[in-house]
Amino acid sequence: GVALLHEAKILLVGEPDAGKTTLMRKLIDPQHKVPAKESSTLGINVCSWRFPFPKNIDIVFNASIWDFGGQEIQYTLHHFFLTPQSLYALLVDDRRQHTEFDYWFNIIRILGGNSSILVVLNEKNYKSITNFSLKTYSERYPELNIERRDVDFSVEDGRFEGLSRKIQEMLSNLEHVGDELPAKWILIRTKLEQQKGRNYISVEE
């Protein structure tokens, strides 16, 4: 038998303290209270996020959220884990203006193919002063589908809810969603997920 694939990856990338971990935690739990400072991510944190498939709410969509550490020394990890068929959320601390947009768009283009990118400008209690021009970068990287959203995670003004809906929509519209695959693949993956507490499995298993 066959099953339809209703799952995808969202990769959270950007500079240190841009809000990647906060976004991950608020997607999983919208009531998450934003601390004055989140702990820095070392390496990569991966979490599961499930929500009703926007095109058919009877189907549960399974998204895996990959939260990448933002320190430059960790950038070598990108070459192993940035993949095609994913949604990229580029988090930007909109106060500091430190984001190297060309680095991120180039590395995503090289490793992620013609991916979709959502630039999330995190205002952090300040009015937006962004140096990001959607028009400029869309023209510079025409093969990428780049969109933009502004948010302040600490303010309940409806923008985070809109951001969450936008992410669900973009994940649901990735090209591979709805593809057919062997039904046994789902069972095997479920069995593998049950081994999370182990570092490896044997060849015989």
Side-chain angles (χ1 to χ4, degrees):
V2 298
L4 299 182
L5 188 62
H6 293 108
E7 60 182 64
K9 290 166 55 178
I10 174 171
L11 289 75
L12 311 183
V13 297
E15 310 300 324
D17 301 320
K20 300 181 293 296
T21 299
T22 297
L23 175 57
M24 178 186 71
R25 290 175 176 168
K26 283 192 71 68
L27 288 174
I28 295 169
D29 175 14
Q31 304 307 313
H32 172 69
K33 298 299 181 185
V34 181
K37 181 176 176 61
E38 294 272 18
S39 57
S40 295
T41 299
L42 300 176
I44 306 169
N45 285 333
V46 183
C47 294
S48 181
W49 175 38
R50 292 178 170 84
F51 54 84
F53 184 41
K55 298 178 182 180
N56 181 348
I57 61 173
D58 293 328
I59 296 173
V60 176
F61 194 94
N62 182 34
S64 57
I65 306 174
W66 293 55
D67 173 20
F68 285 77
Q71 289 79 9
E72 189 171 347
I73 196 172
Q74 301 186 63
Y75 284 9
T76 52
L77 290 173
H78 298 165
H79 297 272
F80 299 101
F81 297 106
L82 300 192
T83 58
Q85 296 187 327
S86 303
L87 169 63
Y88 289 83
L90 173 56
L91 274 290
V92 178
D93 182 340
D94 206 27
R95 301 168 301 171
R96 291 162 52 188
Q97 309 289 294
H98 286 172
T99 300
E100 297 288 344
F101 290 105
D102 283 302
Y103 167 80
W104 291 109
F105 292 140
N106 265 314
I107 199 72
I108 292 170
R109 177 178 56 83
I110 292 168
L111 300 176
N114 298 338
S115 296
S116 293
I117 304 174
L118 181 62
V119 177
V120 180
L121 302 174
N122 183 6
E123 294 181 2
K124 290 190 175 182
N125 297 311
Y126 284 78
K127 185 177 179 180
S128 178
I129 55 170
T130 186
N131 62 343
F132 175 73
S133 167
L134 179 60
K135 181 176 184 293
T136 297
Y137 287 102
S138 294
E139 291 174 352
R140 192 175 298 174
Y141 301 94
E143 64 274 32
L144 299 175
N145 171 33
I146 304 173
E147 300 201 37
R148 163 188 166 165
R149 284 293 184 275
D150 302 340
V151 70
D152 183 335
F153 293 117
S154 65
V155 176
E156 295 183 7
D157 58 5
R159 286 188 292 171
F160 169 72
E161 290 77 11
L163 172 63
S164 179
R165 289 192 298 272
K166 182 62 178 177
I167 290 173
Q168 292 179 27
E169 173 195 319
M170 293 182 76
L171 283 168
S172 301
N173 286 328
L174 292 175
E175 288 185 5
H176 71 278
V177 173
D179 283 356
E180 292 185 351
L181 70 163
K184 286 185 178 180
W185 186 90
I186 302 288
L187 298 175
I188 294 169
R189 205 271 308 279
T190 300
K191 287 286 188 182
L192 288 173
E193 286 179 340
Q194 293 170 357
Q195 310 301 316
K196 282 183 178 178
R198 303 168 62 187
N199 293 326
Y200 63 91
I201 60 175
S202 67
V203 173
E204 290 75 16
E205 287 178 282

